Amino acid sequence: MSAVWSRTVERGDDGALRVGGCDVRQLAGEFGTPLYIVDEADLRARAAAFRDHFTAAFGRHGTKCDVYYASKSFLSSRVTRWMLDEDLRMDVASGGELEIALRGGMPPERIGLHGNNKSDAEIERALKVGVGRIVVDSFDEIAILDAIAFELGVTAPVMVRVTTGVHAGGHEYIATSHEDQKFGLSLASGAAIEALRRVHAAESLELQGIHTHIGSQILSIDAFRESATRMFGLRAEFAAESGVEMPEVDLGGGYAISYVPGAEALEPERAAFEIADAVAEALKEAGGTWPRMSIEPGRAISGPAGMTLYRVGVVKTVNLEEGGHRTYVAVDGGMSDNMRPITYGAEYSATLAARLSEEPPALSRVVGKHCESGDVLVRNVELPGDVSRGDLLAVPATGAYGRVMANNYNGLLRPAVISVKDGQAQVHVRRDTMEDLLSWDVAPE
Ligand code: LLP
């Protein structure tokens, strides 16, 4: 299978896909469709690759690099357990993600809490359980965090989220470090260094370091190089005025994956050494001793490990204005289980999952069952001309930002997430039931 599929996916002699040693027909029968399927071996191997390559790359320079899995990309207590087994840490972006990470057994000191607008309750909970770091995002938060930590009689470990001005990544909605957006404290305006002064001066805060995340779907090392240069410049500037050399620098996540066959990805094998060398240069230029480094990949760990399995319902052929035809293949899910195409114009591919076909391919569009013409899952894909009701279709690379962004639009039930390995399947997140849906509605007396 092409690189866009997770590593254990294979097509059997009968034409049906197998993943983690499980036949997709059986999985569809047992768990229903749509179904998110996570390839455990693949996801773990990706986590291990980040750990090993970044440890080796920064190890050459004599420092450590921690890998925080960005749990917003996909979170379950089982996946948390895997991350712990693979010696990763975890980034959570809300009180809800924090609770699932804790339920999965992630030790609080290995958890970092993010968020541009953390509530008092979230801050209090994080401090009470003793998370390893809180990434502060505003002056308001510095004051609130200090006050709450003081009240609780604890010292809060703090990283300051810096907006470096580096504009990187795919769609505008997933670029996060240019000036005109909501995250972080701006380097250019002086807000970042002022935040460092305030955290350093605060009685109940301990300044651990600086954090930045420049965006997602980043392919070029240059963006990380520029970001490192600016971050180490800031670190040196603060050291010069305060005498404090911050012990940690986090460069965030954003490693690109390939969503469609042939598209490039930023593999950790390559990224680790190039980024470590870029950081070494930045440090040399700015001056100072090596900090402990950290990174926060999400989709590059969970994305390629997941696929979605759909059942075809209706097939329709329409005439195109420019001549020719297009086949609309409607499946039993849609924009509610994969928000990425309608939100970011994201592209995916699809394949017939339970059989092969000798029919010539037809230009097809995979659509969902929502009441919206924009409810498109795969804009253009060649599928065999005989695809019909009852066929299974698989869409690869849906492991990140799929189930975690799913909703119940049009009263659809959110699919289950299962993982597969060595012929065994485990449920991570159960499918919504009609009873769930009715229970959220408060009926009149
Ligand atoms: N660290 C921080 C602080 C972040 O904000 C993010 C993503 C990550 C790490 C992980 O980024 P990744 O390695 O997964 O690209 N829903 C969008 C992505 C939003 C990402 C927001 N922050 C999508 O589906 O593309």
Side-chain angles (χ1 to χ4, degrees):
M1 303 290 287
S2 85
V4 82
W5 295 92
S6 67
R7 68 199 63 200
T8 73
V9 174
E10 54 188 7
R11 211 180 263 283
D13 295 338
D14 56 359
L17 295 185
R18 297 174 69 78
V19 51
C22 299
D23 187 309
V24 293
R25 292 168 298 192
Q26 272 167 7
L27 295 174
E30 187 175 349
F31 300 101
T33 54
L35 181 65
Y36 300 105
I37 306 173
V38 177
D39 183 339
E40 178 176 344
D42 190 88
L43 195 149
R44 280 182 184 258
R46 288 174 192 282
F50 272 99
R51 177 199 65 210
D52 291 344
H53 294 295
F54 277 84
T55 300
F58 280 99
R60 281 203 316 203
H61 297 283
T63 196
K64 288 201 162 26
C65 182
D66 295 322
V67 183
Y68 284 77
Y69 168 61
S71 69
K72 71 203 78 189
S73 69
F74 169 60
L75 180 58
S76 66
S77 41
R78 289 186 193 277
V79 99
T80 304
R81 193 71 55 85
W82 299 348
M83 290 302 130
L84 189 57
D85 289 349
E86 301 299 337
D87 203 23
L88 268 68
R89 297 170 180 238
M90 205 119 124
D91 141 31
V92 298
S94 72
E97 288 182 354
L98 174 61
E99 292 309 324
I100 295 180
L102 292 172
R103 173 195 270 191
M106 185 59 67
E109 63 274 13
R110 296 176 74 91
I111 299 177
L113 175 67
H114 272 284
N116 70 302
N117 182 17
K118 302 175 189 75
S119 68
D120 289 8
E122 286 173 321
I123 291 173
E124 205 177 305
R125 175 76 174 142
L127 288 175
K128 278 189 175 155
V129 300
V131 300
R133 64 194 205 183
I134 297 182
V135 184
V136 298
D137 202 276
S138 63
F139 292 130
D140 284 341
E141 189 187 343
I142 293 172
I144 294 160
L145 181 59
D146 187 37
I148 297 178
F150 181 79
E151 226 168 85
L152 294 176
V154 297
T155 302
V158 169
M159 302 279 284
V160 171
R161 169 100 178 231
V162 178
T163 306
T164 57
V166 177
H167 193 153
H171 194 278
E172 182 196 337
Y173 293 174
I174 56 177
T176 54
S177 203
H178 51 298
E179 288 290 324
D180 190 6
Q181 47 81 38
K182 70 174 184 170
F183 292 109
L185 289 138
S186 151
L187 184 65
S189 74
I193 198 151
E194 175 58 21
L196 294 175
R197 292 182 192 122
R198 292 191 194 182
V199 172
H200 182 48
E203 193 175 334
S204 301
L205 305 182
E206 183 197 305
L207 180 59
Q208 278 189 351
I210 40 179
H211 176 288
T212 192
H213 170 77
I214 49 181
S216 283
Q217 277 301 90
I218 299 167
L219 276 167
S220 135
I221 299 291
D222 292 346
F224 285 105
R225 175 175 294 112
E226 188 53 38
S227 154
T229 303
R230 296 185 192 187
M231 292 290 276
F232 280 86
L234 173 65
R235 182 168 176 264
E237 191 185 338
F238 187 66
E241 76 166 49
S242 67
V244 174
E245 206 176 36
M246 292 177 283
E248 188 158 348
V249 174
D250 190 313
L251 294 178
Y255 302 83
I257 65 166
S258 56
Y259 281 101
V260 291
E264 221 190 317
L266 183 52
E267 300 292 350
E269 289 80 336
R270 173 167 79 88
F273 289 90
E274 293 190 21
I275 290 176
D277 290 348
V279 168
E281 262 173 57
L283 177 62
K284 201 164 146 202
E285 208 176 290
T289 60
W290 270 98
R292 189 181 182 104
M293 299 296 300
S294 45
I295 57 166
E296 279 174 354
R299 106 184 50 221
I301 293 176
S302 58
M307 67 160 92
T308 311
L309 195 61
Y310 297 99
R311 178 91 56 191
V312 174
V314 165
V315 179
K316 229 184 237 182
T317 300
V318 302
N319 294 330
L320 299 177
E321 264 173 38
E322 60 271 29
H325 312 283
R326 191 196 311 279
T327 305
Y328 276 81
V329 177
V331 297
D332 52 356
M335 59 188 283
S336 56
D337 62 72
N338 190 352
M339 294 269 291
R340 300 195 71 261
I342 200 160
T343 314
Y344 316 112
E347 285 183 34
Y348 287 86
S349 69
T351 193
L352 202 50
R355 64 181 178 94
L356 282 172
S357 166
E358 301 285 297
E359 281 294 304
L363 177 62
S364 306
R365 179 162 289 172
V366 181
V367 297
K369 60 181 284 161
H370 290 278
C371 290
E372 278 215 25
S373 54
D375 174 27
V376 172
L377 288 166
V378 185
R379 185 155 295 279
N380 287 312
V381 61
E382 303 253 294
L383 289 173
D386 63 347
V387 170
S388 54
R389 190 174 185 88
D391 272 329
L392 288 174
L393 274 191
V395 174
T398 58
Y401 305 109
R403 177 58 180 80
V404 290
M405 288 171 67
N407 58 69
N408 297 103
Y409 182 39
N410 293 140
L412 265 65
L413 304 176
R414 290 170 303 174
V417 184
I418 61 160
S419 69
V420 288
K421 186 178 176 239
D422 299 335
Q424 303 287 326
Q426 285 185 317
V427 178
H428 286 235
V429 182
R430 72 161 174 81
R431 181 181 304 282
D432 289 347
T433 62
M434 200 53 86
E435 290 72 49
D436 289 330
L437 199 69
L438 289 170
S439 73
W440 300 322
D441 173 78
V442 180
E445 300 288 303

